[in-house]
Amino acid sequence: MNRQALDELKQQIPLMGYLQAHDWSPARPLRSGRWMGLCPLHEDRKPSFLVDTNKDLFYCYGCGRGGDVIRFAELYHQVKFPEALALLRQWCGVGHSLHDAERFYRIQLHRHSEAFAYLYQRGIRSWSTIELMRIGYAPGGCLRGWLTQLGHSLPALRQAGLITGKGYDAYVRRIVFPLEGNLYGRSLSAVAPSHRFLPGGKGGLYAWAQVQRYPEVILVEGLFDCAVLWEAGFHNVTCSLGTHLNARQFRQLCDAPRTVYLAFDDDPNRSGQEAAQNLSRSLRERGIAARLVSLPEGHDPNSFFVQGGDARQFQSLLEAAHP
Ligand SMILES: [Zn+2]
C-alpha cells in the first residue's frame, strides 16, 4: 500500500469515530478539538488518553503510546501493521454493508407478520423496544438483490458473511439484532440452529455506551432477556451473548466501580449457573461487587417475564441476589 492509499484509508476512518465504535468515550474536552478520556490500551484510572480530532492522532500520558488510527488498531487488536490495515479496510467495507443490510431487515419486519408474532410470543410487545434495539427480520432470498442494487459487490457481501459461498442469503427466517460490527440472527424455525452470528467477533457488551453509567448493572445471557427487562422498565441491563465473556466484555464490566447482577439462565444442566459463579469470582478478584440472581427453576429472564413474571417480582429476585 502506498502513501496515498494509506492516507485515503485514514480519511475514511476518523480516529474519534473508530474509538467510539470501540466503546471509548471522551471524559472531558480540552481546547481546539482535543479530548481526554480513559486509555483503552492500558488499565487507566484517571483520564490520560488524549485525542486530537484535528490531527487525527492520540497520545496516552499513562502508557506513553500514541499515533494514528492504524497505530491504534495495531495496539488495540494486538496485531502487526499489515493485519491492522486489513482489519481497518474490512471494518470500512463490512461496516457499510452491515448498515445497509440492517436497514433492509428493518423494512422487512413490517412486511412479515410471522416475525411480529414471534416477537410477541417472546415478550417483545412494544414498538419502542423494536425501534430502540433496531430489530429486523431476514425472510431470506432477497437481501442479495437489494444490496447489489445499492452497489455492494458480491465478493464484499461474501466477505461480510451476509451472502453464502453459493450466493444465497446467509440469514433465512431469522429475527435480526444489530450488534457492533455484527448481526445476530435468531431462527424462527426449529430445524435451523437457533443462534447465529456473522463472521467476526460478537463485539463488546450490548448497548454498553448507555448502560455503563449505571452504578448497578444487570448482566443477562441473551438479547431476548435484555429486551423483556427493558420492556419491564429496567434500563441498566446489558447482555454478553452467551455465558462466556470475551476479554473486552470483561474489561468493560471492570472499567469502573459498580455492582453487577448476574441473571444467567437456570438450565437443567446448570451451565448458566456455573458460568455465573465463575464470572462472579473473577469480578470480585478485580474489586467489582457481583451478585447472583436465582431465577425459578428452568427459567431465564425472558421466560420469567413471558410466563407472567412482572417487574416487582424481578425486583425482589434482585434484592434476594447473593454474592
Ligand atoms: Zn495508555
Side-chain angles (χ1 to χ4, degrees), residues 39 41-42 44 48-49 60 62-65:
C39 177
L41 303 173
H42 82 276
D44 204 5
S48 45
F49 189 78
C60 175
C63 60
R65 291 177 291 187

Side-chain angles (χ1 to χ4, degrees), residues 216-231:
E216 296 190 335
V217 164
I218 306 169
L219 177 69
V220 295
E221 283 182 39
L223 289 159
F224 285 92
D225 301 321
C226 238
V228 288
L229 277 164
W230 188 278
E231 288 213 353

Side-chain angles (χ1 to χ4, degrees), residues 145-179:
W146 162 280
L147 288 180
T148 44
Q149 225 173 18
L150 286 177
H152 296 276
S153 74
L154 206 53
L157 297 179
R158 283 209 187 97
Q159 200 198 353
L162 291 164
I163 302 297
T164 66
K166 287 189 173 148
Y168 300 116
D169 287 16
Y171 284 177
V172 178
R173 296 197 67 219
R174 283 178 189 273
I175 297 288
V176 177
F177 292 80
L179 309 171

